[in-house]
Amino acid sequence: MNVDHLSWNCFFNPESNKVIFHYVYSNSESIKNAEFVVGNSFYEAEKPVFDYLNSSKILPIGPLLSSQRFGKPAGVFWAEDTTCKAWLDEQDVNSVIYVAFGSLAILDERQFQELALGLELTGRPFLWVVRPDITGKAIIDLPKGFKDRIGDRGMVVQWSPQQEVLAHPAVSCFMSHCGWNSTMEGVSSGVPFLCWPYFADQHLNQTYICDVWKIGLKMIPDENNMITKEQIRDKVEELLGDGEMKKRALAMKEIAIKGVEKGGASFENFNTFVSAIKQEV
């Protein structure tokens, strides 16, 4: 672990870091008074940590995924472009690079352009979520001639139904900011990661993905703090050429899904929580 990546050290100015540190500290103190702490994780994902805590009040009940019965997940504020599902249906199995950086990450314009050129350079189909505010500017400019050169090989949307996309058989990998919800969704779909963290917990989540679970690769900024188009191409090829990485990702998926099924660890933890609520009532 790099101390610069602790959540209270990696915001963008000392005052913000100070606020986050006090928030984390007060939250940790408050937890001492809680009967239970439930979380969107599962025992096998963080086994050494849960074993170290050795606490019956820490209850991982994840991965928490939305059900088709109840529509889109809570907390999704952008309108989903569902036309991408029909486009995915037309792609080969395990062929599509899915690129999404969540609802907060910002790329500067140079990096945004380099990412576009990197996806083009891969020669592979891609589905890219480009929020209207992803560069922090009112107008987003793709590289000149990009759409003409890409044609039908790539699709750009403002937001996607991410769980459905990740579960689609056409998706081969997930280029992600490594937010925890996205991490759990990717793990639950058995998809390997290309990790591009932005701030907060995302750097530590990357450590889990790449160094602990070994189901992803890190994107490494160069001396100019740029992830180049050549690195993007090379990392995609390295990831998709690693059959063992995919096997580990699929094994993680099986463990995650079993945990929330009847009799699984997350299922039983949730029942423990519900039973405690009933007793209080």
Side-chain angles (χ1 to χ4, degrees), residues 99-157:
V99 184
F101 296 114
S103 54
L104 293 175
I106 299 292
L107 299 179
D108 72 39
E109 263 191 302
R110 292 180 311 125
Q111 184 62 86
F112 179 80
Q113 298 283 319
E114 197 75 6
L115 172 55
L117 295 173
L119 292 173
E120 179 182 347
L121 205 58
T122 67
R124 295 177 178 271
F126 61 85
L127 173 60
W128 184 13
V129 176
V130 178
R131 297 189 332 266
D133 63 344
I134 196 166
T135 62
K137 297 194 174 181
I139 298 174
I140 294 174
D141 290 318
L142 289 162
K144 188 175 180 180
F146 177 78
K147 289 187 176 179
D148 291 333
R149 295 192 301 273
I150 292 299
D152 294 334
R153 176 164 67 83
M155 186 172 189
V156 178
V157 297

Side-chain angles (χ1 to χ4, degrees), residues 4 15 29 61 72 77 95 133 142 188 196 223-224 230 242 251 256 267 275:
D4 291 338
E15 284 307 308
E29 289 297 297
I61 61 170
K72 71 180 184 180
F77 304 116
S95 67
D133 63 344
L142 289 162
S188 300
W196 195 322
E223 64 275 7
N224 299 313
E230 291 83 10
D242 190 335
F267 182 92
S275 296

Side-chain angles (χ1 to χ4, degrees), residues 94-100 162-176 178 182-195 209-210 213-217 239-240 242 244-254 256-257:
N94 287 327
S95 67
V96 175
I97 307 162
Y98 175 57
V99 184
Q162 182 160 287
Q163 283 184 208
E164 294 176 68
V165 167
L166 287 168
H168 197 285
V171 171
S172 63
C173 63
F174 184 12
M175 188 180 292
S176 173
C178 304
S182 289
T183 298
M184 286 291 98
E185 289 169 3
V187 165
S188 300
S189 297
V191 177
F193 290 77
L194 290 163
C195 296
I209 292 166
C210 299
W213 305 332
K214 302 185 188 303
I215 59 171
L217 298 176
L239 184 73
L240 298 186
D242 190 335
E244 293 304 310
M245 189 87 72
K246 179 63 175 178
K247 285 180 184 177
R248 287 192 292 270
L250 289 172
M252 281 284 290
K253 171 187 175 179
E254 291 303 311
I257 298 304

Side-chain angles (χ1 to χ4, degrees), residues 184-245:
M184 286 291 98
E185 289 169 3
V187 165
S188 300
S189 297
V191 177
F193 290 77
L194 290 163
C195 296
W196 195 322
Y198 179 56
F199 70 157
D201 63 319
Q202 297 161 14
H203 294 281
L204 301 181
N205 301 343
Q206 173 184 250
T207 299
Y208 262 121
I209 292 166
C210 299
D211 301 334
V212 179
W213 305 332
K214 302 185 188 303
I215 59 171
L217 298 176
K218 298 176 183 177
M219 308 296 283
I220 310 294
D222 66 11
E223 64 275 7
N224 299 313
N225 201 33
M226 179 71 61
I227 295 172
T228 66
K229 58 183 180 292
E230 291 83 10
Q231 182 185 165
I232 292 166
R233 174 200 60 201
D234 294 346
K235 291 286 186 178
V236 167
E237 291 307 309
E238 182 182 353
L239 184 73
L240 298 186
D242 190 335
E244 293 304 310
M245 189 87 72

Side-chain angles (χ1 to χ4, degrees), residues 74-94:
V76 174
F77 304 116
W78 299 94
E80 294 175 346
D81 185 340
T82 57
T83 61
C84 63
K85 294 192 289 184
W87 180 84
L88 283 170
D89 289 341
E90 297 172 357
Q91 310 307 314
D92 293 338
V93 172
N94 287 327

